[in-house]
Amino acid sequence: MCGIIGIAALLGKTPQRPGLMVYKGLLRLEYRGYDSAGIASISGDRIHVLKGKGKIADLEKKLCLSCIDGLTVIGHTRWATHGAPNDINAHPHTDCSGKIAVVHNGIIQNFRELKQMLVSRGHIFKSETDTEVVPHLVEEFYKKFGNLYEAFKQAIKMLHGSYALVLISTYEPNKLFFAKKDSPLIIGLGEGFNILASDIPALLEYTRRIVTVRDDWIGYVSPTEIHVEDLSTSNIVDWSRYIRIVEWSLEDATRSGFPHFMLKEIHEQPRALKDTFYGIQSDAAVAKAVKLLLEADKIYVTGAGTSYHACFFYSLTSSILAKRIVYHFIASEYPVYTGTAGENDVLIVVSQSGETMDALKALRAFRERGVKTIAVSNVVDSAIPRESDIAIYTRAGPEIGVAATKTFTTQTLVLSWLTISHGEAYGVLLRSEAEELRKWLSMSSELVARVISWNESLARSLAEWLSRKGNAYYLSRGIGVPVAMEGALKLKEIAYIHAEAYPAGESKHGPIALVEEEYPVVFTIPKHEELEKTLLGNIQEMKARGAVIIGVAPEDTILKDQLDYWFKVPSTHWILTPITHTPPQQLLAYHTAVRRGYDPDKPRNLAKTVTVE
Ligand code: M6R
């Protein structure tokens, strides 16, 4: 999704030139996904804009974005929603006079009506975007009020939809004006400068002191001043109450020698799991969440994409270990389920970014019905944990690659811990059984390190063969099914190979018709005697049709003679299946994407944080 960064600085007070800082911030926002980018600064009584379609590095060669002068600078990476990705639709957008420039993340739903009204008043539009109505609206109100902040407020009041907006103007050249609703925005506090950005990595090199902007906040930052109001109440906000120090290091947000963020993040899993495990042990939120679960009539869990796979896994573990049915659904499907929920129920929302619009909408719809909510997220103070009754955090560190990797394994760790605690408190797990399971979880960091070192080279060599294929099946049974779904999603989203996951028992009901000589089938084989036995038949029926069988299986699997390729994982408890069996599939997808010449960090058509419905 779109990314924003802006700086208002005093001369000589920034660590680097503001233009360079914004440019570097844009590079750190690339992971969110974008198709065009731009930068603007105030120069004299005009605004200087450089923008265009394509990668930031190419635009830098063509336009030298980083060379832009000025002390008040804004930048933007655009992920097209209204209007094709091209030079004109790239942000920033300006008004007719060229004295106001705006960058925007989100969607202005009523832009057509606003545009019509503005055109009838003589405004000339250059782009097809929804965003361009904003500078023209502010221009219109400025004519009336002669006060830029007032004009900005009036303009924002007319918008329907979602926005994180930053505006600069020659009328007040040392300020960044901002407003936020349903799209993320943070303020970074500096000495002699202040920053606005969509995301922490964009400003981490310059400051660790941040304030997360809340919905309906509106205001401005200058190099030495911050002013915030709540548009819904018209009250001044004491923003200093919301300052927090970011613990992520700059190293977390850089590639540290790895060719891609995705590979770095796969390798970070031992550290991410260790931090998450220690965090969860001492997290008071878990006990509160268990209490809610014990009191609940019905329990629902929702998320999107990879986070949904973690939800599905949670629902399975809950049935098996806590003997509680958990209804799992894909976040965007929430209207189907809302009507069944009431005030004695609990909804768990899983989202690494904490900002996914589908998940946020589901959360809000359930809250409206009085449902209690628990968030599981990787980003402190993001919208979903903020709006939930209880927030539990994974501690994976920033995930920059568009494909979720370490956030998935850490989500499943947290959710497994929750199931075990719930089962124990519910009286269906003995204390000794719960302790035994927690002991397995405590080993996840060390186990995943082994999994990665055992399988990296097979993943690389097998990728050469897989990269020539157009389809693959990812199969498993029971607890392994969400892991197979995650393996298939990884291959699809970064290597652009069609991959389908389903419970292996379904093969004979249709999908096996596609299988022919050399057809790739990846089996997730959990450490579970019964599952292994039933999977034997499924493997054999695939082999009989010429399929090539790739197994992700424990080192003592009874199925080893059945496998053409074997990603060996330590023999553990089945509860660790996502943690031990997913990394080889992440590596396989990663190396296949690279082999096919694609950039796994920035897959086409995808964004890291999906803040639109
Ligand atoms: O930030 P979230 O966990 O809410 O994101 C949900 C999905 O958009 C995300 O998992 C997506 O499917 C990833 N590209 C998967 O790798």
Side-chain angles (χ1 to χ4, degrees):
M1 295 284 107
C2 304
I4 290 175
I5 172 146
I7 296 182
L10 290 175
L11 188 62
K13 288 290 182 185
T14 46
Q16 295 147 25
R17 275 188 314 102
L20 182 59
M21 288 167 74
V22 168
Y23 170 73
K24 286 164 79 181
L26 287 180
L27 291 173
R28 298 231 162 86
L29 289 168
E30 276 191 303
Y31 77 96
R32 295 168 69 90
Y34 72 105
D35 46 57
S36 51
I39 198 162
S41 77
I42 297 183
S43 94
D45 67 344
R46 301 282 308 169
I47 289 180
H48 185 200
V49 179
L50 299 170
K51 64 180 189 174
K53 183 183 170 187
K55 294 281 166 212
I56 295 170
D58 296 333
L59 292 170
E60 176 67 358
K61 279 188 210 138
K62 207 161 76 181
L63 306 169
C64 198
L65 303 176
S66 67
C67 305
I68 205 159
D69 278 333
L71 296 170
T72 308
V73 186
I74 52 174
H76 188 265
T77 50
R78 174 174 189 251
W79 192 80
T81 53
H82 291 85
N86 61 32
D87 292 350
I88 293 172
N89 290 335
H91 296 212
H93 291 287
T94 50
D95 66 328
C96 300
S97 67
K99 289 178 182 295
I100 297 169
V102 168
V103 288
H104 165 221
N105 176 6
I107 292 177
I108 295 163
Q109 282 161 350
N110 58 336
F111 87 99
R112 283 197 182 80
E113 298 91 288
L114 293 172
K115 189 168 175 174
Q116 224 169 28
M117 179 272 285
L118 289 159
V119 168
S120 72
R121 288 169 182 261
H123 288 263
I124 295 168
F125 280 74
K126 297 180 273 292
S127 77
E128 304 157 287
T129 64
D130 52 340
T131 305
E132 200 186 342
V133 296
V134 180
H136 291 284
L137 262 183
V138 177
E139 179 182 28
E140 189 65 23
F141 281 116
Y142 187 75
K143 281 184 214 151
K144 188 167 162 194
F145 293 104
N147 174 310
L148 188 62
Y149 185 42
E150 192 52 40
F152 181 61
K153 277 203 276 192
Q154 294 304 325
I156 298 299
K157 283 183 187 163
M158 298 197 68
L159 307 180
H160 299 162
S162 59
Y163 47 81
L165 277 161
V166 180
L167 174 147
I168 56 172
S169 170
T170 55
Y171 298 128
E172 298 208 31
N174 65 346
K175 286 182 182 152
L176 303 172
F177 294 84
F178 67 88
K180 178 208 180 290
K181 189 164 187 53
D182 290 341
S183 289
L185 192 67
I186 52 176
I187 305 172
L189 312 172
E191 298 287 329
F193 66 92
N194 284 306
I195 302 178
L196 286 164
S198 314
D199 214 343
I200 295 167
L203 50 69
L204 207 49
E205 189 180 344
Y206 316 121
T207 182
R208 285 167 181 287
R209 294 173 66 226
I210 69 157
V211 171
T212 305
V213 179
R214 269 50 178 177
D215 274 351
D216 289 323
W217 281 12
I218 187 165
Y220 54 82
V221 307
S222 75
T224 52
E225 185 194 6
I226 297 174
H227 175 83
V228 183
E229 284 171 50
D230 186 323
L231 207 53
S232 61
T233 59
S234 303
N235 291 337
I236 303 286
V237 174
D238 176 9
W239 54 268
S240 63
R241 284 178 38 222
Y242 299 89
I243 298 176
R244 66 188 177 89
I245 309 297
V246 178
E247 284 168 17
W248 296 350
S249 67
L250 184 58
E251 169 135 303
D252 286 334
T254 58
R255 284 207 307 263
S256 315
F258 282 90
H260 297 100
F261 279 110
M262 183 178 174
L263 189 60
K264 175 184 172 236
E265 287 158 4
I266 292 172
H267 280 266
E268 275 174 350
Q269 287 177 109
R271 199 269 311 140
L273 287 160
K274 187 182 276 168
D275 289 355
T276 301
F277 182 78
Y278 287 131
I280 197 91
Q281 273 184 315
S282 52
D283 192 344
V286 177
K288 289 188 196 149
V290 169
K291 188 164 177 291
L292 278 192
L293 294 174
L294 283 173
E295 288 164 0
D297 278 354
K298 291 195 286 306
I299 304 171
Y300 300 83
V301 64
T302 195
T306 291
S307 290
Y308 167 71
H309 299 153
C311 295
F312 185 11
F313 172 74
Y314 170 70
S315 141
L316 295 170
T317 57
S318 182
S319 296
I320 300 168
L321 295 174
K323 306 283 184 256
R324 283 295 315 259
I325 291 281
V326 170
Y327 301 95
H328 59 98
F329 64 89
I330 288 174
S332 55
E333 291 290 301
Y334 73 88
V336 178
Y337 301 90
T338 325
T340 64
E343 51 190 23
N344 296 326
D345 299 332
V346 170
L347 172 74
I348 303 175
V349 182
V350 183
S351 169
Q352 78 80 19
S353 63
E355 301 283 352
T356 298
M357 188 49 73
D358 290 332
L360 192 55
K361 286 272 156 116
L363 174 80
R364 288 177 180 164
F366 273 65
R367 279 184 74 86
E368 262 173 38
R369 297 186 65 88
V371 174
K372 318 272 183 324
T373 52
I374 301 167
V376 175
S377 180
N378 192 44
V379 181
V380 175
D381 227 13
S382 53
I384 291 169
R386 227 168 42 225
E387 294 189 25
S388 297
D389 297 306
I390 295 172
I392 304 178
Y393 291 104
T394 51
R395 287 167 170 81
E399 190 173 70
I400 311 286
V402 165
T405 51
K406 59 180 179 168
T407 54
F408 174 68
T409 44
T410 51
Q411 280 168 350
T412 63
L413 178 70
V414 164
L415 291 165
S416 299
W417 182 280
L418 198 58
T419 308
I420 297 164
S421 309
H422 183 193
E424 187 184 6
Y426 197 43
V428 294
L429 275 181
L430 295 175
R431 180 154 205 192
S432 56
E433 290 170 325
E435 302 255 283
E436 171 75 14
L437 287 162
R438 285 195 200 102
K439 201 159 151 223
W440 279 112
L441 296 187
S442 76
M443 292 164 65
S444 52
S445 161
E446 174 201 321
L447 291 166
V448 89
R450 251 189 276 165
V451 168
I452 293 170
S453 77
W454 288 358
N455 290 297
E456 179 99 57
S457 91
L458 175 59
R460 198 178 297 115
S461 59
L462 192 55
E464 202 205 322
W465 172 79
L466 189 59
S467 66
R468 295 192 298 271
K469 299 288 168 186
N471 293 288
Y473 280 149
Y474 279 69
L475 308 185
S476 190
R477 279 177 180 258
I479 203 75
V481 174
V483 177
M485 289 167 77
E486 179 56 12
L489 177 61
K490 289 292 88 99
L491 191 72
K492 263 186 288 210
E493 69 178 334
I494 60 165
Y496 314 150
I497 293 175
H498 177 248
E500 185 184 339
Y502 61 86
E506 283 291 285
S507 293
K508 56 192 174 297
H509 299 291
I512 202 165
L514 276 185
V515 176
E516 54 191 6
E517 285 299 320
E518 295 275 301
Y519 193 96
V521 185
V522 180
F523 275 90
T524 294
I525 303 170
K527 174 68 197 158
H528 189 290
E529 217 180 302
E530 285 312 305
L531 289 181
E532 284 189 81
K533 280 185 194 152
T534 40
L535 280 169
L536 173 63
N538 300 125
I539 292 176
Q540 284 173 339
E541 68 198 7
M542 287 290 167
K543 272 177 99 75
R545 275 124 191 126
V548 172
I549 309 296
I550 300 155
V552 186
E555 49 193 330
D556 55 356
T557 181
I558 54 170
L559 297 175
K560 64 172 183 244
D561 296 337
Q562 304 296 322
L563 310 177
D564 295 304
Y565 297 98
W566 181 10
F567 285 111
K568 217 177 269 183
V569 302
S571 180
T572 62
H573 190 280
W574 61 257
I575 199 162
L576 288 178
T577 307
I579 289 166
T580 49
H581 289 55
T582 312
Q585 303 186 54
Q586 296 166 344
L587 286 168
L588 182 61
Y590 169 80
H591 287 293
T592 307
V594 171
R595 192 86 211 170
R596 283 163 70 89
Y598 302 128
D599 179 349
D601 286 344
K602 297 178 208 111
R604 66 189 179 204
N605 307 332
L606 294 179
K608 182 66 184 167
T609 308
V610 186
T611 49
V612 292
E613 267 185 284

